[in-house]
Amino acid sequence: MDLYAEMAALVARGEPFVLATVIESAGSTPQKPGSKMVVLSDGSLRGTVGGGAIELQIIEAARELLAAPRQTRLLETHLTHELGMCCGGRMTVFLEKHGAPPQLTVFGAGHVAQALAALALNVGFRVRVVDSRAEWATAERFPGCEVRREDPADHARALEGGARDYFCVTTHDHPLDQAVVEALLAKPAAYLGVIGSRRKAERFRMRLQAAGAAPEALDRIRSPMGLPIHALTPEEIAVSIVAELVQVRRGQEPRR
């Protein structure tokens, strides 16, 4: 049970890991079926499947799996013939990758942001909401989310971004939206979307082009963001946006 508590803590912190489970053994082996071990990306361990050369082999295989696109791997090893161990038995170990959940940062804490954050949480995103307005950026309005009460553009400039980062710009002010987008354009991200009309999107593109933004950078912006379902209410708009986030997360190219 301690190992399951460790795994829950890793998931809560967003740290990827591999769970290694012995599913078959024959002859003399250091551990029997059901034994489990967690391997982190730096090679550190929680639990054990017996130590020695077999454990080193599992650690190496787990770290390779963390860097690969696939989710699982089956490792079958004869301890004597392949590893030179004196046990003489065989072990089959199932490796299962548990990736960090994707991070959604919502810039702005208005009505659409509130509905968007709640729905994104329910489909497996970690959600951070950024807004400088104290009456809007509250834990009560965004349960389960990280709420940052600071200027959205300043926060955007400080972010590093990454392949599992999703950015949704929904502030209360068009110039602020543009400042946030300008700060995010050069950051790596899986998704960058801006709420608004097609006219707003065209104006943004023209202004960003005039400021020197490259066409390929501008092509990354989804605006109006969300799938075209003729949404009207904040809740419906949130559905359209989260549907597009899921589309990207599942490896589908969203519409331009």
Side-chain angles (χ1 to χ4, degrees), residues 7 16 20 30 43 53 67-68 76 79 83 85 104-105 114 118 125 142 156 166 171 189 193 207 219 223 246 256:
M7 288 191 287
E76 300 177 275
L79 275 60
L83 299 179
M85 297 176 70
L104 170 63
T105 302
Q114 186 178 21
F125 286 86
F142 294 95
Y166 293 68
T171 82
R207 290 169 183 163
D219 286 343
S223 185
V246 171
R256 291 290 177 186

Short mmCIF file of all heavy atoms in Angstrom, two decimals, residues 7 16 20 30 43 53 67-68 76 79 83 85 104-105 114 118 125 142 156 166 171 189 193 207 219 223 246 256:
data_model
loop_
_atom_site.label_atom_id
_atom_site.label_comp_id
_atom_site.label_asym_id
_atom_site.label_seq_id
_atom_site.Cartn_x
_atom_site.Cartn_y
_atom_site.Cartn_z
N MET A 7 2.87 6.27 -5.67
CA MET A 7 2.42 6.52 -7.04
C MET A 7 1.40 7.64 -7.08
O MET A 7 1.43 8.50 -7.97
CB MET A 7 1.86 5.24 -7.66
CG MET A 7 2.92 4.21 -8.00
SD MET A 7 2.28 2.85 -9.02
CE MET A 7 1.30 1.96 -7.81
N PRO A 16 6.36 11.93 -14.25
CA PRO A 16 6.19 10.67 -14.98
C PRO A 16 6.98 9.54 -14.34
O PRO A 16 8.03 9.77 -13.73
CB PRO A 16 6.73 11.00 -16.37
CG PRO A 16 7.69 12.12 -16.15
CD PRO A 16 7.16 12.91 -14.99
N ALA A 20 6.84 -1.22 -12.91
CA ALA A 20 7.33 -2.53 -13.35
C ALA A 20 6.71 -3.60 -12.47
O ALA A 20 6.85 -3.56 -11.24
CB ALA A 20 8.85 -2.58 -13.27
N PRO A 30 14.76 -13.78 -8.01
CA PRO A 30 14.78 -12.96 -6.78
C PRO A 30 13.40 -12.50 -6.32
O PRO A 30 13.22 -12.20 -5.14
CB PRO A 30 15.65 -11.76 -7.18
CG PRO A 30 15.63 -11.72 -8.66
CD PRO A 30 15.47 -13.12 -9.11
N GLY A 43 16.06 7.56 -12.76
CA GLY A 43 16.53 6.23 -12.37
C GLY A 43 16.30 5.89 -10.92
O GLY A 43 16.58 4.76 -10.50
N ALA A 53 21.51 -7.58 -11.28
CA ALA A 53 21.54 -7.28 -12.71
C ALA A 53 20.14 -7.17 -13.30
O ALA A 53 19.90 -6.35 -14.20
CB ALA A 53 22.34 -8.36 -13.44
N ALA A 67 11.13 7.73 -22.50
CA ALA A 67 11.52 8.61 -23.60
C ALA A 67 10.88 8.21 -24.93
O ALA A 67 11.03 8.92 -25.93
CB ALA A 67 13.04 8.59 -23.76
N ALA A 68 10.14 7.10 -24.95
CA ALA A 68 9.55 6.59 -26.19
C ALA A 68 8.07 6.97 -26.28
O ALA A 68 7.44 7.25 -25.26
CB ALA A 68 9.70 5.07 -26.24
N GLU A 76 11.26 -9.99 -21.11
CA GLU A 76 11.43 -11.40 -20.75
C GLU A 76 12.92 -11.70 -20.68
O GLU A 76 13.66 -11.48 -21.66
CB GLU A 76 10.76 -12.30 -21.79
CG GLU A 76 9.26 -12.05 -21.91
CD GLU A 76 8.62 -12.90 -22.99
OE1 GLU A 76 8.66 -12.47 -24.16
OE2 GLU A 76 8.10 -13.98 -22.65
N LEU A 79 17.79 -15.24 -16.42
CA LEU A 79 18.73 -14.59 -15.52
C LEU A 79 20.16 -15.07 -15.69
O LEU A 79 21.11 -14.29 -15.55
CB LEU A 79 18.28 -14.77 -14.07
CG LEU A 79 17.26 -13.75 -13.54
CD1 LEU A 79 15.96 -13.77 -14.35
CD2 LEU A 79 16.97 -13.97 -12.07
N LEU A 83 22.01 -12.53 -18.24
CA LEU A 83 22.56 -11.59 -17.27
C LEU A 83 23.70 -12.15 -16.44
O LEU A 83 24.32 -11.41 -15.67
CB LEU A 83 21.44 -11.10 -16.33
CG LEU A 83 20.29 -10.35 -16.99
CD1 LEU A 83 19.25 -9.96 -15.93
CD2 LEU A 83 20.78 -9.11 -17.71
N MET A 85 23.49 -14.15 -13.96
CA MET A 85 23.13 -14.36 -12.56
C MET A 85 23.08 -15.85 -12.27
O MET A 85 22.74 -16.66 -13.13
CB MET A 85 21.79 -13.71 -12.25
CG MET A 85 21.78 -12.19 -12.42
SD MET A 85 20.15 -11.44 -12.17
CE MET A 85 19.94 -11.67 -10.39
N LEU A 104 -2.63 22.80 -18.51
CA LEU A 104 -3.38 23.86 -19.17
C LEU A 104 -3.25 25.14 -18.34
O LEU A 104 -3.59 25.14 -17.15
CB LEU A 104 -4.85 23.49 -19.32
CG LEU A 104 -5.80 24.60 -19.77
CD1 LEU A 104 -5.44 25.09 -21.17
CD2 LEU A 104 -7.25 24.15 -19.70
N THR A 105 -2.78 26.21 -18.97
CA THR A 105 -2.75 27.51 -18.32
C THR A 105 -3.80 28.39 -18.98
O THR A 105 -3.76 28.61 -20.20
CB THR A 105 -1.37 28.17 -18.43
OG1 THR A 105 -0.38 27.30 -17.85
CG2 THR A 105 -1.35 29.51 -17.69
N GLN A 114 -13.90 30.05 -16.20
CA GLN A 114 -14.41 29.22 -15.09
C GLN A 114 -14.98 27.91 -15.62
O GLN A 114 -14.69 26.83 -15.09
CB GLN A 114 -15.47 30.00 -14.32
CG GLN A 114 -15.95 29.28 -13.06
CD GLN A 114 -16.96 30.11 -12.28
OE1 GLN A 114 -17.60 31.02 -12.83
NE2 GLN A 114 -17.12 29.82 -11.01
N ALA A 118 -13.11 24.02 -15.20
CA ALA A 118 -13.82 22.89 -14.58
C ALA A 118 -13.88 21.70 -15.52
O ALA A 118 -13.66 20.54 -15.11
CB ALA A 118 -15.23 23.33 -14.18
N PHE A 125 -6.66 17.27 -17.39
CA PHE A 125 -5.64 18.32 -17.41
C PHE A 125 -5.38 18.85 -16.00
O PHE A 125 -6.30 18.93 -15.19
CB PHE A 125 -6.10 19.50 -18.28
CG PHE A 125 -6.05 19.24 -19.76
CD1 PHE A 125 -7.13 18.64 -20.40
CD2 PHE A 125 -4.94 19.60 -20.52
CE1 PHE A 125 -7.10 18.40 -21.77
CE2 PHE A 125 -4.91 19.37 -21.87
CZ PHE A 125 -5.99 18.76 -22.51
N PHE A 142 -12.54 28.50 -8.69
CA PHE A 142 -11.76 27.52 -9.46
C PHE A 142 -11.28 26.39 -8.56
O PHE A 142 -10.08 26.21 -8.35
CB PHE A 142 -10.57 28.21 -10.13
CG PHE A 142 -10.96 29.22 -11.18
CD1 PHE A 142 -11.08 30.56 -10.86
CD2 PHE A 142 -11.23 28.82 -12.48
CE1 PHE A 142 -11.46 31.49 -11.81
CE2 PHE A 142 -11.60 29.75 -13.44
CZ PHE A 142 -11.72 31.08 -13.11
N ALA A 156 3.03 35.04 -18.44
CA ALA A 156 3.35 34.43 -19.73
C ALA A 156 4.83 34.60 -20.07
O ALA A 156 5.48 33.68 -20.58
CB ALA A 156 2.48 35.03 -20.82
N TYR A 166 -0.43 23.60 -22.61
CA TYR A 166 -1.54 24.11 -23.40
C TYR A 166 -1.88 25.49 -22.85
O TYR A 166 -2.03 25.67 -21.64
CB TYR A 166 -2.76 23.19 -23.27
CG TYR A 166 -2.58 21.82 -23.89
CD1 TYR A 166 -1.70 20.89 -23.36
CD2 TYR A 166 -3.31 21.45 -25.02
CE1 TYR A 166 -1.53 19.64 -23.93
CE2 TYR A 166 -3.16 20.20 -25.60
CZ TYR A 166 -2.26 19.30 -25.05
OH TYR A 166 -2.10 18.05 -25.63
N THR A 171 -8.54 36.65 -21.48
CA THR A 171 -8.59 37.76 -20.53
C THR A 171 -9.76 38.69 -20.86
O THR A 171 -10.42 38.56 -21.89
CB THR A 171 -7.28 38.58 -20.51
OG1 THR A 171 -7.27 39.51 -21.57
CG2 THR A 171 -6.05 37.68 -20.58
N ALA A 189 4.89 24.78 -27.09
CA ALA A 189 3.60 24.41 -26.50
C ALA A 189 2.88 23.47 -27.45
O ALA A 189 3.07 23.51 -28.67
CB ALA A 189 2.75 25.64 -26.22
N GLY A 193 -4.23 29.03 -27.93
CA GLY A 193 -5.51 29.49 -28.45
C GLY A 193 -5.92 30.80 -27.83
O GLY A 193 -5.56 31.11 -26.69
N ARG A 207 -1.49 42.82 -36.42
CA ARG A 207 -0.64 43.54 -35.47
C ARG A 207 0.63 42.76 -35.14
O ARG A 207 1.71 43.34 -35.01
CB ARG A 207 -1.44 43.81 -34.19
CG ARG A 207 -2.55 44.85 -34.36
CD ARG A 207 -3.45 44.88 -33.16
NE ARG A 207 -4.57 45.82 -33.33
CZ ARG A 207 -5.66 45.81 -32.60
NH1 ARG A 207 -5.79 44.93 -31.61
NH2 ARG A 207 -6.62 46.69 -32.83
N ASP A 219 0.90 30.91 -37.39
CA ASP A 219 0.07 29.76 -37.77
C ASP A 219 -0.22 28.83 -36.59
O ASP A 219 -1.12 28.00 -36.66
CB ASP A 219 0.75 28.96 -38.88
CG ASP A 219 0.68 29.67 -40.23
OD1 ASP A 219 -0.15 30.59 -40.36
OD2 ASP A 219 1.46 29.31 -41.13
N SER A 223 -7.40 30.74 -33.28
CA SER A 223 -8.30 31.85 -32.94
C SER A 223 -9.25 32.08 -34.11
O SER A 223 -8.78 32.31 -35.23
CB SER A 223 -7.49 33.12 -32.66
OG SER A 223 -8.32 34.16 -32.22
N VAL A 246 -8.56 18.20 -26.39
CA VAL A 246 -8.51 16.74 -26.41
C VAL A 246 -8.08 16.24 -27.79
O VAL A 246 -7.29 15.30 -27.91
CB VAL A 246 -9.87 16.13 -26.01
CG1 VAL A 246 -9.89 14.63 -26.24
CG2 VAL A 246 -10.19 16.46 -24.55
N ARG A 256 -7.09 24.64 -39.13
CA ARG A 256 -6.36 25.92 -39.17
C ARG A 256 -7.36 27.06 -39.09
O ARG A 256 -8.41 26.99 -39.70
CB ARG A 256 -5.55 26.02 -40.45
CG ARG A 256 -4.38 25.02 -40.50
CD ARG A 256 -3.31 25.42 -39.52
NE ARG A 256 -2.21 24.44 -39.50
CZ ARG A 256 -1.22 24.48 -38.66
NH1 ARG A 256 -1.18 25.42 -37.71
NH2 ARG A 256 -0.26 23.60 -38.69
#
